[in-house]
Amino acid sequence: MGVLTLLVLLVAAAPAGAKATFKAHGSVEQVYVTDAKPGADYTLVDRNGDEVDARKAGVLGGIVFRKVDPGNGYRVRQGDVRSAAVRVLSTRSRPQSTKIYDQTIPDSGYNYLKTRDGTRLAINVYKPTTATPADNGPFPTLIEYSGYGYADPSGGESSIQAVAGALGFAVVDVNMRGTGCSGGAFDFFEPLQGLDGYDVIETIARQPWVLHNRVGMMGISYGGISQLFVAETRPPSLSAIAPLSVLDGVQTTLYPGGILNTGFALQWAKDRIHDAEPASADGGQGWALEQIANGDVTCKKNQELHTEAVNLLAKIHHNQYYRAKVVDPLSPVTFVHKINVPTFMACQWTDEQTGGHCPTLASQFTGTDQKWFTFTNGVHTDSLDPETFNKWYDFLQLYVAEQKPSVNPVVVAAGPVVYQVALGITGVTLPDDPIQHEATYEAAKAAFEALPMVRILFDNGAGGQPYYPYPGFERGFSSLPVGGTKAKSFYFDRDGAMGAKPPKKGGADEFTLNARARPPTDFSGDTGGGTNGLWTASPSYDWTQNPAGTAASYVTPPLAADTTVLGAGAVEAWVRSSKPDADFQATVSEVRPDGKETFVQSGWARGSKRKLDPARSTELEPILSLRKDDAKPLPVGEWTKLTIPLYYEGHPYRAGSQIKVTISAVGGDQPIWAFKHSLPKAGGTAKIDVAHSPDMPSRLLLPVIGGDIPTALPACPALRGEPCRDYVPATNKPVSLR
């Protein structure tokens, strides 16, 4: 017998050591461990016994091995002790066995739902508000899914379940893995979160209390964005989605123009880190701590892996440049073409949280012909304004309940109360909706499907009392960008003028770029619906002027005809900088005949990240490359072309108004977005020259559509999300082109 053969036999015959007290579990490209010894070293090995990864157990005895290749035979080893073999799953949507969906979920109350890897997600099921305790359905059912405290038995955080319940829908509120009382470890929209959503849909759809054994999804903000990630996986029992106030990609909110948004975006990320911590007096979600105190042993056990959440802040700072393999899977604009169910979406150009880039999604929804988009000026909650609310209700009735929408007296009566609570605005009522007066389901559906794909609500806030959530007028289009859109240029000229043609003589203006000269837009009220909050009819905007010498502004002559702008656009400026890097902001506003100025939209660009992506850019929607290899310093003291992409606007400029653009340091023009780490660094300034010459024509480029504007100039202030102030003409400082 050879020595090698003897060793093999000895190893095979040797005891495996003490029985493992820890448990290994296969997951989607992951292996997770529970009941481990805190702080001890554990090794993941493949079927051949080769080491794949090694990690220390968390303080609660949990471990997550990530980025593991799918396959069988993985084990976790601690010293001589080995776990049973586990199978690592792929990211394929449909699991090998659907038996996991044969769970019994009660038709109301708090519970747990098991996903394909054995993780238990906390859920709370609500019957429709109109249902009696004895009514067991079946009910049209909606899923609301996010990392907020949705499953909190006392009421979901930021949930709109109560609204859907009043409309006659059962709602299942679900906490994502790694949050609240749900098991698992949190990572921002990893593939596993989308597959968890798939499992939730397929499990809930099989319940006897679910009408048609199909479910829809609804939600706003986080609960809206999550729908896109779940629908991408194409659960067969998903009937429709209705995402509200969403984003098109992480970079357009987190890194606008390549500059870190240290205001809302970074704070939101910090909140997600806090919410993903184990429930304690210092971290996690408070309702989970209450559940544990009340004897919820599943919630307590589920905290074990919360220590293994991915470091979201580290990921943010590590990805300041565009890396396709990291960013694209997190950016809905890259994958919404996979969504094949009816979709209703609503977003705001001036959403103070997610920002005004959601409209890029409209043209990418190629997987379904049943899609409707509503866009307007407004704040984060304006996706549920009365005009949009009616169509949202119609959509859910037609494509989830498969019933004829009807005038719901309960909803009509509750409308003023809902808006009073949410917006602090009294007397807001739902307008009449012709679709709800159709005689049959088929007629109502035909009428709804005859609606244009894109609906623009212009001058939101001007259709009633100032700041009340009613549009001044609306228009419908078959696509976005709108067919026949024209690229209109407004060229910079001397004395702060802008004209339709490049200047005949050369010139330049100078300003000092100093990010500390003007603080972020002060918002003295609550950012939500509190006293003088952003969402109310009396927002406390303090939209300050740029201090003299810290910006360059250009204004058109009074417009000879109505000019409606719908789309993105850009500022193309020839600049000369005294520093090798600087951050720029371009802000478009309307100068009105009555001496007032209305904010419309902004855009951003870091000078060193100024290269455009030729594969994705169009004239009217340039996209910065933001790749590290494409970044290079500004040539100090030399002229270079800088493109500042603008975020979307849908704004009617009436004859007699003027269009103004201001180039400045970043910040000061939008509430709750901030740029703490902008360049030049704290205390530093840069001298910036802006050229306007035949050889270096700087311009504002806007997408203009046809059509007269049917309403008069709104009051000022009045428009939601668009502060208004007295117009103060700016005086640019002319300098030599040399």
Side-chain angles (χ1 to χ4, degrees), residues 188 225 245-266 268 331 351-358 380 604 647 670 672-675:
F188 180 74
I225 298 166
S245 299
V246 302
L247 46 73
D248 71 325
V250 290
Q251 283 195 307
T252 51
T253 299
L254 183 62
Y255 276 104
I259 311 163
L260 179 62
N261 177 358
T262 55
F264 170 79
L266 195 63
W268 189 87
S331 299
D351 189 316
E352 77 283 356
Q353 297 187 18
T354 55
H357 231 272
C358 164
H380 194 55
W604 301 267
Y647 281 34
Q670 288 198 334
I672 78 173
W673 278 31
F675 304 92

Side-chain angles (χ1 to χ4, degrees), residues 32-78:
Y32 66 92
V33 181
T34 56
D35 300 317
K37 182 180 179 181
D41 294 315
Y42 289 79
T43 303
L44 176 67
V45 298
D46 62 18
R47 62 190 307 167
N48 299 317
D50 295 330
E51 180 177 325
V52 176
D53 197 2
R55 296 184 64 86
K56 289 184 181 296
V59 295
L60 296 181
I63 308 169
V64 178
F65 296 99
R66 292 183 168 87
K67 298 181 180 178
V68 182
D69 292 334
N72 295 312
Y74 287 97
R75 298 177 187 269
V76 175
R77 187 176 66 210
Q78 201 260 325

Side-chain angles (χ1 to χ4, degrees), residues 363-620:
S363 63
Q364 302 304 310
F365 261 88
T366 56
T368 176
D369 292 330
Q370 295 174 310
K371 51 193 174 184
W372 295 270
F373 305 94
T374 298
F375 302 116
T376 186
N377 61 287
V379 294
H380 194 55
T381 52
D382 279 318
S383 54
L384 279 174
D385 283 354
E387 289 285 355
T388 308
F389 180 92
N390 267 342
K391 294 298 183 288
W392 177 73
Y393 166 64
D394 294 343
F395 175 83
L396 294 177
Q397 286 287 79
L398 291 168
Y399 296 98
V400 179
E402 297 182 23
Q403 297 171 354
K404 186 188 85 67
S406 59
V407 179
N408 188 327
V410 175
V411 176
V412 171
V417 178
V418 170
Y419 289 107
Q420 169 67 40
V421 173
L423 305 181
I425 303 177
T426 59
V428 176
T429 58
L430 296 176
D432 186 57
D433 182 357
I435 289 174
Q436 295 170 18
H437 294 288
E438 295 288 348
T440 65
Y441 168 74
E442 290 75 18
K445 188 176 181 183
F448 191 89
E449 292 185 344
L451 295 173
M453 185 187 87
V454 176
R455 184 189 194 205
I456 308 297
L457 304 179
F458 289 100
D459 286 345
N460 180 18
Q465 299 180 52
Y467 283 125
Y468 271 54
Y470 300 110
F473 66 100
E474 70 172 81
R475 287 188 187 170
F477 305 96
S478 60
S479 65
L480 190 68
V482 171
T485 299
K486 296 180 179 179
K488 189 162 185 177
S489 295
F490 303 89
Y491 291 93
F492 299 0
D493 209 334
R494 60 184 60 221
D495 299 323
M498 276 198 297
K501 296 180 180 180
K504 294 181 179 180
K505 294 183 179 180
D509 300 309
E510 178 189 89
F511 69 93
T512 300
L513 193 150
N514 179 0
R516 279 77 201 165
R518 185 166 171 242
T521 306
D522 177 44
F523 188 74
S524 55
D526 300 323
T527 55
T531 303
N532 296 329
L534 275 177
W535 304 345
T536 70
S538 55
S540 298
Y541 286 109
D542 184 11
W543 183 35
T544 60
Q545 301 283 347
N546 289 284
T550 64
S553 296
Y554 302 90
V555 185
T556 67
L559 298 171
D562 290 349
T563 302
T564 300
V565 175
L566 180 57
V571 171
E572 295 177 353
W574 285 88
V575 300
R576 181 171 58 188
S577 173
S578 66
K579 295 288 178 68
D581 208 357
D583 292 337
F584 297 85
Q585 175 175 285
T587 296
V588 179
S589 56
E590 176 186 9
V591 178
R592 300 155 43 109
D594 59 4
K596 300 288 187 178
E597 180 182 2
T598 299
F599 170 84
V600 178
Q601 191 52 282
S602 294
W604 301 267
R606 174 157 287 182
S608 61
K609 300 179 181 179
R610 63 191 178 278
K611 185 174 180 178
L612 301 181
D613 186 333
R616 298 185 296 161
S617 295
T618 64
E619 181 183 26
L620 285 172

